[in-house]
Amino acid sequence: MTIPPMKKLPLLPNRYKAIGWVLLIPFFGLGALKLIFPDQMEWSFMTYRQGDYTFFDSGDWLFSLKYNNFTDEFISLGLLLGLSLVAFARTRTEDEWTTHLRLEAMLWSVLLNTVFVALTIIFIYSSLYLTVMMINLFSILMIFIVRFEYLLWRERQQLGEKRS
Amino acid sequence: MKNRLKVERAIKDMTQAELAQRLGVSRQTINAIETGKYVPSTILALKIAQIFEKPVESIFFLEEGD
């Protein structure tokens, strides 16, 4: 007798979680490098240029772009994909309790992220503000993954203790 | 909400893993219910009652403040 999952959340199959980690780890490293060394992390083969346009008159839209180095776009999308696969893939034993933990972790991360943004607005200015905002593009999913994995780990720990 | 799940399981000599498998949930879920951390959905509660062949109210109880 099995219980059909109620109110099924739209999640990806479990195997995408492993794929997500494989993407996430290198792209996380690349993202960190890009933040620390923004100028060195501009791969030349990722540069698109029309005539002698530069960063300062590059255009605002993809379809009117005159100049851009796509290293940051590449890293951002890779990181976002890795994070999404890890965050939105079913756990191996996804049931109503895991779903409960998942939603709790999501609420927790949105709250923490909001506090993080507020503190950034209050305490950080100038170009450092933009840097922190860049981190913020990814932080909801990052905090969620850390929190959710911690909750699952804690559950497994407790069960291990119970058995011995 | 309180429950007698652990007792009922002992009576039937059933492990958490066996119960979990019959219900199609994880062992963590059974453990979370038994330790009072998680209140199962009505569907899961009814399925549990079905396995122990008892009415739901003799396994799950309201407590003060519920």
Side-chain angles (χ1 to χ4, degrees), chain B:
Chain B
M1 193 186 73
K2 285 189 293 192
N3 68 74
R4 276 168 48 84
L5 192 52
K6 202 170 181 164
V7 179
E8 296 297 337
R9 212 160 45 71
I11 293 170
K12 286 232 170 193
D13 195 23
M14 202 185 276
T15 64
Q16 284 186 343
E18 281 162 6
L19 181 60
Q21 205 231 330
R22 286 188 64 182
L23 290 165
V25 300
S26 68
R27 204 152 64 86
Q28 280 97 318
T29 307
I30 304 299
N31 190 55
I33 296 170
E34 285 184 4
T35 52
K37 267 193 301 183
Y38 180 58
V39 175
S41 67
T42 313
I43 294 181
L44 188 52
L46 286 167
K47 295 271 181 183
I48 289 169
Q50 212 172 62
I51 286 183
F52 293 114
E53 295 160 316
K54 288 186 173 179
V56 179
E57 308 92 281
S58 66
I59 304 175
F60 297 97
F61 317 90
L62 287 173
E63 56 186 340
E64 219 153 298
D66 277 345

Side-chain angles (χ1 to χ4, degrees), chain A residues 94-150:
Chain A
E94 189 85 21
D95 60 12
E96 57 177 70
W97 171 232
T98 350
T99 297
H100 175 84
L101 293 178
R102 179 185 288 282
L103 296 179
E104 192 189 294
M106 193 49 94
L107 177 64
W108 207 85
S109 82
V110 172
L111 276 173
L112 200 66
N113 195 64
T114 307
V115 172
F116 176 52
V117 173
L119 292 177
T120 308
I121 294 171
I122 296 168
F123 288 107
I124 296 174
Y125 293 84
S126 177
S127 71
L128 184 60
Y129 178 80
L130 292 178
T131 308
V132 178
M133 279 294 118
M134 271 185 251
I135 297 174
N136 199 238
L137 295 173
F138 310 99
S139 53
I140 288 191
L141 284 178
M142 283 181 189
I143 300 169
F144 165 73
I145 290 171
V146 170
R147 179 69 183 165
F148 186 46
E149 292 297 322
Y150 167 74

Side-chain angles (χ1 to χ4, degrees), chain A residues 27-44:
Chain A
F27 274 105
F28 185 83
L30 287 173
L33 283 174
K34 177 69 189 166
L35 275 182
I36 302 166
F37 309 108
D39 299 328
Q40 287 90 325
M41 290 291 287
E42 295 262 286
W43 301 332
S44 54

Side-chain angles (χ1 to χ4, degrees), chain A residues 12-80:
Chain A
L12 297 163
N14 176 245
R15 64 175 180 280
Y16 285 99
K17 196 159 194 162
I19 301 172
W21 282 114
V22 169
L23 277 172
L24 178 52
I25 291 163
F27 274 105
F28 185 83
L30 287 173
L33 283 174
K34 177 69 189 166
L35 275 182
I36 302 166
F37 309 108
D39 299 328
Q40 287 90 325
M41 290 291 287
E42 295 262 286
W43 301 332
S44 54
F45 68 92
M46 289 246 172
T47 300
Y48 167 79
R49 171 174 280 159
Q50 276 181 21
D52 44 11
Y53 285 99
T54 65
F55 176 77
F56 298 101
D57 49 11
S58 58
D60 297 322
W61 273 92
L62 176 62
F63 300 110
S64 62
L65 211 54
K66 312 276 191 333
Y67 169 86
N68 191 44
N69 183 286
F70 285 97
T71 314
D72 50 343
E73 279 79 10
F74 171 72
I75 295 173
S76 302
L77 286 176
L79 185 54
L80 218 46

